[in-house]
Amino acid sequence: MRFFAALAGYAAPMFLILSPILSYSDQAISMHRSRSSAGFSLDIPLIMLVASIFRIFYYPGAKFDIALLIQSFCNIFIQLILLKIALDHRPPPSSKGGDAALPFVGAQDGLWGFQRPYNFWQWRSPKPYWQFLLSLFISLTVLELLIAPFHSLYPGYSALIGYIGLSVEATLPLPQLFANARSRSCKGFRFSVLASWLLGDAMKMFWFFTSTTAIPLAFKLCGVFQAACDLIIGIQYLMYGDQQPTVKTQQGWPYSGGKPHLAGSYSNGRQTPTGRRTPLGEKTI
């Protein structure tokens, strides 16, 4: 047991640091070469950027393992590049997969067809995306400077920041899980990706609960939730396999094939509830 704990203590941190770049660099290169982000979900950079920014501001109060902090910076670096490429190469509305990549203002989104308030993260112009991220960073910086001097208040604030960031990151597998359940198919979801997820979860959980360095409870709880979601996706893969998806008719759409933008797909990704596909290895381990 000591040998495996020592091995995980060296291998897991390195794997965690490199996983953001390894997971997303291929997707970024592919979109840049094809000059199209059709099929790529802009929600992926949103989730990972928000989670990583919150994790960085969580560090001063929690002083968790430095590898997890470095991973957050790597995440921000690759996700900013990915978002820039995706926004630069969004297809026009009339093109195949256009709705899947924008997504368009006013389009229904999510599992139950709800519309996001103020069309959040569905803007036509690239400028609001950067404004939101900059505003989030500035707001957290101001709060950090204002609350840090109050030693009785700061620990609770820091813990809240950590749980918010890690909870946001833990939701990343949910769209895929719900999409599989809804379509009763895992078509387009590569087994190699699933295997890497499960292996990464196993390594991460072993390291979290055996590490001698500081791993806050928030990391462990959200890590367990994420691993459970990945395990359920694995069970779905065994149950559904690559059978053709069952598309249910959406009320309000003129034909039984579902929403029009479901016709466009990316062959190297996974289908999400809105017909978009997420990149290969979309999730940071």
Side-chain angles (χ1 to χ4, degrees):
M1 178 62 71
R2 290 183 179 179
F3 171 77
F4 288 108
L7 180 63
Y10 287 102
M14 186 61 64
F15 183 76
L16 288 171
I17 292 173
L18 295 177
S19 61
I21 298 176
L22 296 175
S23 298
Y24 294 99
S25 58
D26 181 65
Q27 179 68 30
I29 293 172
S30 176
M31 290 192 299
H32 178 70
R33 288 177 175 175
S34 65
R35 296 189 177 277
S36 175
S37 60
F40 176 73
S41 173
L42 293 178
D43 288 338
I44 303 306
L46 169 66
I47 292 174
M48 298 310 300
L49 284 169
V50 170
S52 298
I53 292 173
F54 270 84
R55 280 171 57 172
I56 289 174
F57 283 94
Y58 180 39
Y59 180 77
K63 300 296 182 182
F64 48 79
D65 193 287
I66 192 67
L68 297 172
L69 178 63
I70 297 175
Q71 184 203 38
S72 298
F73 282 107
C74 290
N75 247 327
I76 291 176
F77 172 75
I78 190 64
Q79 292 299 331
L80 287 176
I81 294 176
L82 198 62
L83 179 61
K84 178 65 167 62
I85 295 174
L87 292 175
D88 286 346
H89 299 301
R90 287 185 296 178
S94 59
S95 68
K96 183 178 180 180
D99 286 4
L102 282 174
F104 290 106
V105 175
Q108 288 183 323
D109 198 9
L111 293 174
W112 297 278
F114 67 87
Q115 184 175 340
R116 301 184 188 186
Y118 304 102
N119 296 309
F120 177 73
W121 211 255
Q122 294 180 320
W123 306 297
R124 293 180 183 273
S125 172
K127 188 176 180 180
Y129 295 88
W130 308 114
Q131 288 177 334
F132 167 77
L133 294 173
L134 181 61
S135 300
L136 176 64
F137 177 78
I138 293 176
S139 299
L140 290 176
T141 301
V142 171
L143 288 173
E144 182 76 16
L145 295 176
L146 291 176
I147 300 178
F150 298 93
H151 300 292
S152 60
L153 181 62
Y154 186 69
Y157 167 77
S158 178
L160 177 63
I161 288 293
Y163 275 99
I164 291 175
L166 291 168
S167 297
V168 169
E169 184 177 351
T171 64
L172 193 59
L174 293 180
Q176 179 63 41
L177 190 155
F178 291 138
N180 292 346
R182 184 179 183 183
S183 65
R184 302 185 68 83
S185 173
C186 295
K187 189 173 181 61
F189 180 35
R190 296 173 62 107
F191 176 76
S192 59
V193 176
L194 174 62
S196 67
W197 283 15
L198 296 176
L199 178 62
D201 287 333
M203 181 181 296
K204 182 172 62 176
M205 289 298 96
F206 187 82
W207 180 53
F208 278 2
F209 289 97
T210 61
S211 176
T212 56
T213 57
I215 307 293
L217 180 62
F219 279 94
K220 297 177 181 179
L221 292 177
C222 294
V224 168
F225 176 80
Q226 206 168 53
C229 291
D230 293 341
L231 183 60
I232 295 175
I233 293 176
I235 295 173
Q236 289 177 327
Y237 190 91
L238 294 176
M239 292 173 57
Y240 304 141
D242 289 333
Q243 67 185 18
Q244 290 295 328
T246 302
V247 181
K248 297 181 179 180
T249 303
Q250 298 292 329
Q251 186 177 1
W253 293 96
Y255 59 91
S256 60
K259 296 183 180 180
H261 63 262
L262 290 178
S265 63
Y266 221 37
S267 59
N268 290 332
R270 308 183 315 172
Q271 188 167 338
T272 62
T274 58
R276 302 189 295 269
R277 290 197 180 255
T278 53
L280 200 66
E282 66 172 14
K283 179 170 68 66
T284 302
I285 305 299

